[in-house]
């Protein structure tokens, strides 16, 4: 039987269509993968989904309750250690909220630069207590008089400190909030110098 010849137009047309289809697919693929201008030639930039996959996997990793509580304890311990060091060195960044700010720092330095009768209150109170316990009327009377004298001196000294401190604060910090600064200073005077926190940063007699 005679063979049916295949039309040449059919052969060339099918090949041309296949080549066009292949070229179109390659163009679409290349358009989806844009190259980073800074990336070397011949190395296409990875897709956004591929680049973000590791970060998503890390973000989606859930901590157990035990790990979360351990992390909180470690962070709390680190914060407390920083605060302890700041109380010793006066570092403003990690001080407690009640000690932060230039107004509070000046109030501390103002108290630490002078002698305050109130800082000797505890030792004097112990002496007065011992005298009152001794069964000698004369010593008990001395203890009572000494107690009254200490109270009066502390009141007079504290009033003078508050007046001078307010005057200095108004002159140095006219636009700052000075709320609670005088009470903060008075509470500091009741503490012995070596036990004060934050630690004193000025010497006695030195101007703040």
């Amino acid at each position: 039987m005679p063979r049916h010849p295949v039309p040449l137009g059919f052969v060339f047309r099918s090949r041309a269509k296949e080549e066009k289809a292949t070229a179109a697919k390659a163009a679409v693929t290349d358009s989806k993968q844009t190259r980073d201008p800074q990336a070397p030639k011949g190395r296409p930039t990875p897709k956004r989904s591929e680049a973000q996959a590791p970060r998503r996997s890390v973000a989606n990793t859930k901590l157990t309750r035990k790990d979360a509580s351990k992390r909180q304890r470690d962070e709390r311990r680190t914060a407390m250690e920083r605060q302890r060091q700041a109380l010793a060195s006066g570092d403003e960044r990690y001080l407690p909220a009640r000690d932060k700010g230039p107004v509070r720092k000046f109030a501390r330095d103002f108290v630490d630069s002078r002698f305050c009768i109130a800082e000797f209150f505890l030792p004097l109170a112990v002496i007065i207590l011992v005298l009152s316990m001794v069964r000698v009327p004369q010593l008990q009377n001395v203890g009572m008089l000494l107690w009254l004298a200490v109270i009066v001196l502390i009141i007079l000294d504290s009033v003078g400190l508050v007046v001078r401190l307010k005057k200095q604060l108004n002159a140095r910090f006219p636009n700052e909030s000075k709320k609670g600064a005088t009470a903060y200073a008075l509470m500091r005077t009741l503490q012995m110098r070596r036990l004060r926190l934050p630690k004193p940063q000025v010497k006695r007699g030195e101007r703040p």
Side-chain angles (χ1 to χ4, degrees), residues 29 31-34 44-55:
T29 305
S31 64
K32 289 182 179 180
Q33 294 184 353
T34 57
T45 303
K47 295 181 180 180
R48 182 178 296 178
S49 59
E50 295 176 357
Q52 293 180 350
R55 286 182 289 180

Side-chain angles (χ1 to χ4, degrees), residues 3 19 26 28 35 46 49 71 77 84 93 112 147 161 165 174 176 178 180 206:
R3 296 182 180 179
E19 291 177 356
V28 171
R35 190 177 68 84
S49 59
R71 176 178 293 182
R77 189 180 299 111
R84 186 187 65 79
R93 295 175 298 172
D112 297 336
W147 178 255
L161 182 141
L165 179 59
E176 296 283 344
K178 294 172 279 293
E206 182 181 353

Side-chain angles (χ1 to χ4, degrees), residues 9-166:
F10 175 77
V11 175
F12 289 110
R13 186 173 63 250
S14 62
R15 289 181 179 178
K17 288 182 178 181
E18 291 177 359
E19 291 177 356
K20 289 181 180 180
T22 305
K25 290 181 179 180
V28 171
T29 305
D30 292 340
S31 64
K32 289 182 179 180
Q33 294 184 353
T34 57
R35 190 177 68 84
D36 189 355
Q38 297 181 354
K41 293 183 178 180
R43 185 180 179 183
T45 303
K47 295 181 180 180
R48 182 178 296 178
S49 59
E50 295 176 357
Q52 293 180 350
R55 286 182 289 180
R56 288 178 180 174
S57 62
V58 173
N60 292 332
T61 303
K62 294 183 179 179
L63 295 175
T64 62
R65 182 177 298 179
K66 183 177 180 180
D67 294 337
S69 58
K70 183 178 182 297
R71 176 178 293 182
Q72 290 178 356
R73 286 196 303 271
D74 293 340
E75 292 176 353
R76 193 181 304 111
R77 189 180 299 111
T78 302
M80 292 296 294
E81 179 62 22
R82 286 179 178 175
Q83 188 177 104
R84 186 187 65 79
Q85 294 177 359
L87 289 172
S89 63
D91 191 347
E92 286 281 336
R93 295 175 298 172
Y94 305 113
L95 285 176
R98 67 181 179 87
D99 299 311
K100 283 186 176 181
V103 174
R104 297 298 175 96
K105 184 179 186 306
F106 180 82
R108 291 196 302 271
D109 293 344
F110 187 84
V111 171
D112 297 336
S113 64
R114 62 195 302 273
F115 281 96
C116 299
I117 299 176
E119 66 181 290
F120 304 107
F121 174 77
L122 288 178
L124 290 174
V126 173
I127 295 173
I128 294 170
L129 180 63
V130 171
L131 290 176
S132 63
M133 294 176 64
V134 176
R135 305 207 170 196
V136 178
Q138 291 81 2
L139 292 178
Q140 291 180 348
N141 292 333
V142 170
M144 291 298 297
L145 292 174
L146 185 60
W147 178 255
L148 292 175
V150 168
I151 295 298
V152 171
L153 290 174
I154 288 177
I155 292 174
L156 294 176
D157 187 55
S158 299
V159 171
L161 182 141
V162 168
V163 171
R164 288 190 292 271
L165 179 59
K166 282 185 176 181

